Amino acid sequence: MTLRSLHDRSALAARFGRDPAMHLMELGDLDDLLWPHTSWYTVSESGPVALVYAVGEIPTVLAFSRPGEAGELEELAGALLPVLPRRFFGHVTGAVGKVLESAYAARSQAALLRMVLTDPGPAARHPGGPWRPAPLGRSDLPELLELFAQAYPGNWFDHRMLDTGQYVGARQEGRLVAVAGVHVHSAAYRVAAIGNVATHPGVRGRGAGGACVAELCRRLDGSVEHIGLNVRADNATAVGLYRRLGFREVTGFTEALYTALPHAPAG
């Protein structure tokens, strides 16, 4: 099949809008803030689409589909090999990872879950306990980076997401100890993907992280219709928290860092 590059945002939105829970990230990346950093590929008129998101030192490649489209997604992955970056983070469903490994070494592989908020009631009713999460902005960036270094080292964080106004943090004696934010947020496409949820080791197990996620869900409820997140499948504590807040699993996928092999036909 012939690899095709896509440039029509409305056509992409129509494709992803048929399954917004599966394609939250792609819909969010159509937003004006992120669109200039994206490249989109397919091998058919109506089949799966792969996204290359080039922000940060290492790009990210997303290739998601439902099981019925798995074969076509694998064909798309094969067609992508000559144009992919030499290093990238891959978020892929099905056997796409096996196709990529014909030309790339995969490291730091992990099984993740995509979850979406299907019942906003629990988050809306969450009492918060002693925590009173408040919005964070650019002035909070140094303290936020310090918290990530202590609680979530190596996480992927795009500073520009603070400008969406969709980051909240909880404090203890004035010190930032928990945060929840977004990887994407688009009022235009009515989606948000929660990310960068972190709690300082000194207050873990005391509800600060859950209070931040619940507050963020309440804030997002007025601007989007679909709220989702990615979480490691083996993080039982986080998965349990999200279920209690009204999230349910949509699909599983693999995350890995891919590096081109010496013989790889990568771009």
Side-chain angles (χ1 to χ4, degrees), residues 82-186:
V83 302
L84 287 174
R86 293 199 174 275
R87 294 184 76 212
F88 62 88
F89 292 110
H91 292 182
V92 299
T93 56
V96 171
K98 294 298 183 183
V99 177
L100 296 175
E101 286 171 31
S102 67
Y104 288 82
R107 294 181 174 84
S108 304
Q109 288 183 298
L112 277 77
L113 298 174
R114 165 69 51 79
M115 304 182 75
V116 296
L117 187 64
T118 58
D119 179 6
R125 296 189 296 269
H126 192 280
W131 309 104
R132 295 293 179 265
L136 301 177
R138 281 282 177 171
S139 62
D140 299 297
L141 180 58
E143 197 174 4
L144 182 58
L145 293 176
E146 181 181 355
L147 174 61
F148 285 148
Q150 296 170 329
Y152 197 178
N155 71 309
W156 187 89
F157 172 54
D158 183 346
H159 298 188
R160 297 174 306 159
M161 288 296 99
L162 278 171
D163 298 333
T164 66
Q166 304 299 337
Y167 269 71
V168 299
R171 297 181 181 275
Q172 183 182 62
E173 298 178 354
R175 181 187 181 192
L176 187 67
V177 294
V179 62
V182 293
H183 284 316
V184 298
H185 173 262
S186 174

Side-chain angles (χ1 to χ4, degrees), residues 12-14 16-17 19-21 23-31 40 184 186 189 191 226:
L12 287 165
F16 300 136
D19 196 352
H23 297 296
L24 278 167
M25 299 295 290
E26 294 95 325
L27 282 165
D29 287 334
L30 295 174
D31 202 73
W40 309 82
V184 298
S186 174
Y189 295 98
V191 297
H226 305 283

